[in-house]
Amino acid sequence: MNISLVMFLIFIAITLGITYWASRRSAGSAAYFAASRQIKGWQNGIAVAGDYMSAASFLGIAGIIAFQGYDGFLFSVGWLVAYLTVLLVIAEPLRNAGKYTMADVLAYRLKPRPVRGMASLSTLTVSTFYMIAQMVGAGALVKLLLGGYVTYNQAVIGVGILMIVYVVFGGMLATTWVQIVKAVLLMAGTILLSILVMAHFHFSFGQFFGAIGQVTYHDAKGAVVVKDFLQPGLRYKPPYGPLDLISLGMALIFGTAGLPHILVRFYTVPDAKTARHSVVWAMVLIGSFYIMTTFLGFGAATIVGPDFIKVHGGTNMSAPLLAQALAGNVFFAFISSIAFATILAVVAGLTISATTSFSHDFWTNVIHNGVERKPGEEVMVARISAFVVGAVAIGIAIVLGPTANVAFLVALAFAVAASANLPVIVLSIFWRRFNTAGAVTGLAVGLLASIGLILVSPSLMAVDPPTVVGTARHLIQAKAWFPLENPGILSIPLGFIGAIIGTLVSSEPSSQEKFNELLVRSNTGLGAEKATAH
Amino acid sequence: MANGARDLEAARPGQEPAQSQSIWDRIATSKEFQDLMATKKTFIVPAFIFFLVYYFALPVLVGYAPQFMDTKIGKVNLAYLFALSQFFVAWIIAGLYVKAANNFDRLAKDILDKADKGDK
């Protein structure tokens, strides 16, 4: 029997066990949506890291560094440093003033219905796009690893069903523990891989970096190339590369603090101080992980080589192939099942944040004016919407197929989070004059600007050679109108400007009167949601 | 769900007793609260600005001065070392923030204690 399959099944069995355990202790909204706010700081820190370190970072980053060297490592830097925005600006006020979603904080001062409606739309957009990228990745990975046993469609359906089961039966408690298990596995796998890479170079950094200085491969025309992979500029080339790099940095730095599946995690801890400590825990883990992408990425470039990776599954297989080259098939299976676990945990985290927003923001507060018509309705609606979200994601991932060009969806999620969510959260906490019209305009402009600019960016607009077929082709076969892959540099200021103009052209005295309440609540924790007993 | 739901109900505009609004205003204008905000600002604003400048120096320098950043330092180059330094700077700022935040917690606790007394 295929060893990868055995490891996949073991992970699935453990997570289903967790779900069964959690299902017996998650009655009521606070238990279901926020794990009764009883998660400890270090646990939540590991879970935040688990939610964040997606397949895009594990498989994707290793691949980008393996093929484009140093420029790929810049993603790693941004992904960690972004947590300073979360720590210094967002986490504590959010925990103090909110309940289950980011919209709770907005709804304090502003008119709840329009603000929650828009915030819910933006949350669902971010979560769904991000989820589809992960699902396509999962399907392609499983197909590659278990080709003889499982097809792409079966893999997508399997991942979809598992994520629905975690969320429907286990709620936030199960999702949190699935993240913790996954994060520990991912860290263990990454540390092992890093040690093996250094062992390959006889634990000499001199030899390691010497090898990085002369990576040899064949370029597109078949000529042999020797490149220094520490040299900047292999990915971000002039004329627009440098600007794209800054734009990417902005999307990461301001987007992380607006990612709904990260923000909901701060409601699972007892208070703001614990939320703060969980960010620090997350930063230690995430930082260590991304520093180790040096070994994963450059290790794959030097030990396996871009030529070999290209014909054995492509960039995303760099880390598993490195494992195979260093320690054989069992380790290959181990690293691959960690990648699988990573995807599964991240889609579960995305699903619960999407369903929480739909049921708490949209169903209870927009449609029914904040009243649960009968006890348990909010949780029931969340469970039903988990099925819907899961089914939609499965459907889209199957239609797109394994070769679909979906990498831009992760960039889009960050761009929407940075351009729509972050401006309104920040202005709502810090600007007395801010009002409902500003929030709705800011969310709408940020959302539309990010989607619009990505639609006309090189990610979706390019002329493919005829050899590229099906969904791997760019959506619009023409030269891109907007030259950058990442819209952040334009869409983030637009989100802020939209929010500011919307505010200035309207007047809402009640929002200004309630500013003091939000200010005191978010800074002192007075009246904050408490942990509940089981 | 019981407690949470009622708290949120109480906080919804229009359903709140008139004098409870003034509690928030009273705290917001109190000297203790102003001190807390001032203390927070003295740390968070410079820390945030420093981190933005330090971080964005990386893509700007790498993007616009790639040759300079490729300057060799031993076996590695300036670009890699500067990128690596970002991790440690982020950790140091986080550590300093946690230390400063203990002070915020102390000031906030005074305000909470006083508010509790005022309520009862």
Side-chain angles (χ1 to χ4, degrees), chain A residues 11 25 51 60 69 140 164 175 180 201 251 269 272 284 290 297 327 348 370 427 444 450 463 472 480 506 519:
Chain A
F11 179 76
R25 16 175 51 207
D51 247 326
I164 293 171
T175 310
I180 294 175
F201 292 102
V269 294
V284 170
Y290 285 117
L427 293 175
S450 324
V463 183
S506 61
L519 192 68

Side-chain angles (χ1 to χ4, degrees), chain A residues 33-35 37-39 44 172 176 264-270:
Chain A
F33 294 122
R37 310 190 198 284
Q38 285 187 336
I39 302 292
N44 192 46
M172 190 47 132
T176 302
V264 291
R265 297 235 57 91
F266 298 117
Y267 294 121
T268 65
V269 294

Side-chain angles (χ1 to χ4, degrees), chain A residues 422-443:
Chain A
L422 186 86
V424 297
I425 299 174
V426 167
L427 293 175
S428 149
I429 300 176
F430 293 105
W431 192 26
R432 188 178 293 269
R433 176 77 170 78
F434 193 53
N435 59 29
T436 307
V440 171
T441 335
L443 284 164

